[in-house]
Amino acid sequence: QVQLVESGGGLVQAGGSLRLSCAASGRTFSYYAVGWFRQAPGKEREFVAAISSSGGSTTYADSVKGRFTISRDNAKNTVYLQMNSLKPEDTAVYYCAAKGAGYSRVYRAYDYWGQGTQVTVSS
């Protein structure tokens, strides 16, 4: 069992940066892969990035590759999403999610979800 809480969202101008945090509770957090997903109004939930339990492997959606960086600090039970060069199309509610074993790009594969944090990028 793990509980997740996202923070760090807000309003930023295009080209700016935000750093999202996903704080986890649970002593087995280091065994979970974590993914970031986002959902814009009227759209399906979209994969953004994921990281392995150890932090040794990451994967990104093509739309954010080179701009976003996922990382984790297991000692702090926290996963981060550094978002640079933000674009208006990045506007969405961002969720972190956790699952056992390896990471996945499919949101249905994740067992635990945070409440989401709003990211709004103005042009």
Side-chain angles (χ1 to χ4, degrees):
Q1 292 279 347
V2 63
Q3 293 77 46
L4 307 172
V5 179
E6 302 96 330
S7 63
L11 175 64
V12 65
Q13 290 187 318
S17 298
L18 284 173
R19 190 194 197 198
L20 305 184
S21 296
C22 175
S25 62
R27 50 187 165 84
T28 60
F29 174 70
S30 63
Y31 290 94
Y32 289 86
V34 174
W36 284 96
F37 295 81
R38 65 189 183 187
Q39 188 165 23
K43 295 185 178 180
E44 293 292 316
R45 201 175 321 182
E46 177 187 23
F47 171 77
V48 177
I51 189 166
S52 62
S53 59
S54 68
S57 298
T58 60
T59 188
Y60 299 90
D62 289 343
S63 60
V64 307
K65 196 169 187 177
R67 300 188 296 121
F68 291 10
T69 302
I70 188 171
S71 62
R72 70 191 295 163
D73 186 343
N74 284 345
K76 296 182 178 180
N77 277 11
T78 302
V79 171
Y80 305 96
L81 185 68
Q82 178 66 48
M83 306 186 295
N84 298 327
S85 302
L86 283 162
K87 304 174 180 179
E89 49 263 47
D90 295 318
T91 296
V93 177
Y94 283 70
Y95 300 90
C96 66
K99 68 182 296 293
Y103 56 58
S104 174
R105 289 171 170 260
V106 179
Y107 74 85
R108 295 177 185 86
Y110 290 82
D111 301 306
Y112 309 103
W113 291 83
Q115 83 290 345
T117 186
Q118 177 71 48
V119 172
T120 303
V121 184
S122 62
S123 59

